[in-house]
Amino acid sequence: MDTGSNTQTPATPDEIRARIRSEHAQISALLARVEALSERVAEDDINSVVALRGELVTLGEVLLAHLHYEEYQLPSLAEEGKVDEMAEDMHREHQVQRDIFDSVIRDLDETAVGSKLVVGVRELSRAIRDDMEHEERELLSKPEMGADV
């Protein structure tokens, strides 16, 4: 997957949808690995701490690039007259994801074990998955609403 956020080249609505769906699949796979590793960390498997940190770094890189791309491209898929509202809602949801991610990294760096870390990973996963499901349902499954065809 291209994790770069190419915001210079205009994309068609179909290209935007395809890329975001592809990134959602990659993010879902990364979330599954992070969730599994966080459970092993909770069971005091210290070797999993290093692996979890690495997976979280990878997830963070992919997620932040993805959020940036969405913030640039998704408003073009919104219904006419709803672009500003959609963009504001998306920025708010994405900021929540960024904040939770930062909190999970802090918890990992400070404690490296325990239920607090597992709860943070679950909260992060839930926020990201809820956002992806919302986007799939509200923006990616609809025909070219904001496009000039």
Side-chain angles (χ1 to χ4, degrees):
M1 176 185 96
D2 173 18
T3 58
S5 294
N6 181 0
T7 57
Q8 302 304 312
T9 306
T12 68
D14 286 341
E15 291 170 335
I16 294 168
R17 286 183 186 93
R19 175 169 169 175
I20 290 174
R21 283 187 187 109
S22 173
E23 291 180 5
H24 282 179
Q26 182 183 22
I27 290 167
S28 289
L30 288 168
L31 284 173
R33 288 199 303 264
V34 165
E35 290 165 331
L37 283 169
S38 72
E39 296 296 331
R40 291 190 358 223
V41 168
E43 297 166 0
D44 294 329
D45 179 359
I46 300 303
N47 294 329
S48 295
V49 173
V50 174
L52 177 60
R53 184 84 164 83
E55 289 293 331
L56 281 169
V57 167
T58 300
L59 173 63
E61 291 168 354
V62 171
L63 180 64
L64 294 178
H66 173 73
L67 296 179
H68 178 75
Y69 180 79
E70 283 188 343
E71 289 164 359
Y72 180 76
Q73 296 286 0
L74 271 182
S76 68
L77 301 180
E79 293 179 37
E80 193 170 319
K82 295 188 177 185
V83 172
D84 290 340
E85 177 185 351
M86 187 277 266
E88 287 175 20
D89 289 346
M90 180 176 46
H91 282 282
R92 188 172 39 258
E93 290 170 5
H94 287 179
Q95 189 57 51
V96 167
Q97 292 173 46
R98 288 177 177 104
D99 291 345
I100 295 170
F101 182 81
D102 290 344
S103 174
V104 168
I105 292 293
R106 264 193 319 276
D107 289 346
L108 181 61
D109 289 344
E110 291 171 4
T111 64
V113 293
S115 62
K116 184 177 180 183
L117 179 61
V118 175
V119 169
V121 167
R122 287 179 182 157
E123 185 179 347
L124 175 65
S125 294
R126 185 173 36 255
I128 293 170
R129 289 182 198 284
D130 287 351
D131 184 49
M132 290 189 306
E133 288 171 9
H134 170 77
E135 291 165 359
E136 298 273 344
R137 183 179 59 251
E138 298 297 323
L139 297 168
L140 301 179
S141 64
K142 295 184 179 183
E144 300 177 10
M145 293 182 287
D148 294 321
V149 207

